[in-house]
Each structure stands twice: as C-alpha cells, then as structure tokens.
Amino acid sequence: MAEIQSAIAVIRKHKAATAAGLADFVANQADVSVTSSATGRTSHFRRYAPGTILDAVAGTDYEFPAAGIDAGRYVAVLQAELRAVASRLVMPEFMLSSDASNANYSSTMVAEGPAVKMFDRLQHEMLADDTELLRRVVRHAVASGRLPIDAIAAIDIRGIPPTLAVRDRLKDAQADQILVRNGAMSVATMALRGGLDPEQEERLIGRQGSRRKSRRHTTFVHPRNLAASHNCAACRHVMQGVLWCST
C-alpha cells in the first residue's frame, strides 16, 4: 500500500468537469505525452521544478497521497527484513539495522557466537588470498632479478588476524603461557597474538639486559655502620657523613 501511495505524486480533483474537458486539460498541461505501442494508451507527464508556483482554477483540489503515509508503521516491517538479511549473512542484527536493543555487543561477539565464527572463516579466506598474492609478488621479483633466486625459499610469508571475540586478556595470556610451556606454541606467536612485534621486543629486551649489566652496584653506608677495619679500595667519596661504597 505504501508503495502505491508513494508512486502517485499528486491527485487533482476537478469538481465540475466533463471527461472530454478533463482529457483536454491534462493534455494541455503536459510537458511530454507518450503513447504505448502495446496498449495504445497515452500517458501525460509534467515536470515541476523546485520553487514552482501553481495557479489552480476554481473547483480544483490537490491531494498528495505520500503525505498520508505513516512511516512509523513500517519500521517494524523494515527491522524484520533487516533481521532476515542479517540472518542470511550470519551477521549481528545491529550491523545492518544500527539497533542494538535486541542484543548487546558483548553477548553477540563472544567466541562461541555464529557471527564470530563466520568472521573468523572470512579472515582465514582473506589471509589465504593475501599470502598467495604476496608469494606471487616474491616470485615475480625473483623472475625480474630484483630479488636473489633463494628468496623464495628464504622468505616465509605468514599472516595472523586480529582477535574478533571480546577478550579477557588475563585468561588469554594464561592460555598462551600454558601452550608455550608445553611446547605447542612459540613465544613469537604469543607476542603476535598480544599485538606485539617479536623482533622489536627481542631487541628491546636485549637492550634492557645490557643496560642492567653495565650498571654498577652502588651501596650507601653511614660511617657509624662501617666497621673500623673496613679497607675497601672501591670507596671513593665521603660527603656529608655518608660513605659511597661501590662494592
């Protein structure tokens, strides 16, 4: 019904007009007249530009069917259609309808949810396509001489997608720790799962360790706590009653 109402732009009601007079009036007011070869009927069209001012003769009433459409009645129908589309795509309803009243984000994006499993499958498909594309790039680079011949065997292209489900970082870290301890997962993979760069973290850890080794062990001792027989050759300064001992 709403489709029919919106299809009709305006209805002109002529209170006192014969059929022949009305046909002549419509033909004279039309900008374009098109006659169908199949039915032989003639359709009249008139374009009203923005800001058009109409002068109506006495006894002519204008009615706009679209003005009587109650859009609120069709919201429930539209929501039902969007839910059906979301169900077919295995997606949460709020991603299509922007309405999260039926399900919140946390309950929808749990790891056991069908939407998360669907997105996980799409991620793996995209990773497979992307890694294959990058392997082709490496092969073409070797064929064109931009990379050495052994680059194909030396370069290992892998992809790790981001986590989809709502994460409990403590539980994820504990589960990864158990896998690493049992030899089922490498430390580099655990770092990638945590959003870290394994090579960069390894360099930073090594730099931090070297700083600790180069740092001298310094102890501050009060003179009265120092034994009289103390002959430490590393003692350097006595300032304000505090002895700086580097041993």
Side-chain angles (χ1 to χ4, degrees), residues 169-240:
R169 293 181 61 85
L170 178 59
K171 291 183 179 179
D172 289 346
Q174 290 174 345
D176 292 345
Q177 186 179 10
I178 294 173
L179 293 176
V180 172
R181 187 186 306 138
N182 294 330
M185 186 172 66
S186 65
V187 178
T189 302
M190 183 175 64
L192 289 173
R193 285 170 55 85
L196 303 175
D197 185 355
E199 295 181 356
Q200 181 181 1
E201 296 301 323
E202 186 176 356
R203 288 195 300 269
L204 294 176
I205 293 173
R207 190 181 307 171
Q208 183 178 0
S210 61
R211 287 180 181 177
R212 289 179 178 176
K213 291 180 181 179
S214 62
R215 189 177 302 167
R216 295 168 57 182
H217 180 66
T218 303
T219 305
F220 293 91
V221 183
H222 196 275
R224 66 167 171 257
N225 296 329
L226 189 64
S229 60
H230 182 75
N231 296 318
C232 179
C235 295
R236 296 290 180 263
H237 304 282
V238 177
M239 295 184 301
Q240 297 179 357

Side-chain angles (χ1 to χ4, degrees), residues 152-171:
I152 298 177
I155 297 176
D156 184 15
I157 301 175
R158 297 182 183 180
I160 297 179
T163 304
L164 290 169
V166 177
R167 299 179 58 185
D168 187 338
R169 293 181 61 85
L170 178 59
K171 291 183 179 179

Side-chain angles (χ1 to χ4, degrees), residues 76-129:
V77 178
L78 177 60
Q79 293 288 344
E81 292 290 339
L82 292 176
R83 281 195 295 271
V85 175
S87 176
R88 172 62 183 86
L89 298 176
V90 197
M91 295 177 62
E93 176 188 349
F94 63 83
M95 288 189 174
L96 272 74
S97 63
S98 301
D99 181 12
S101 60
N102 294 328
N104 57 37
Y105 179 83
S106 299
S107 62
T108 305
M109 298 302 291
V110 295
E112 295 79 10
V116 174
K117 294 184 180 295
M118 180 65 177
F119 294 151
D120 185 67
R121 183 178 67 83
L122 294 176
Q123 276 187 336
H124 283 79
E125 290 180 355
M126 180 175 292
L127 281 178
D129 295 338

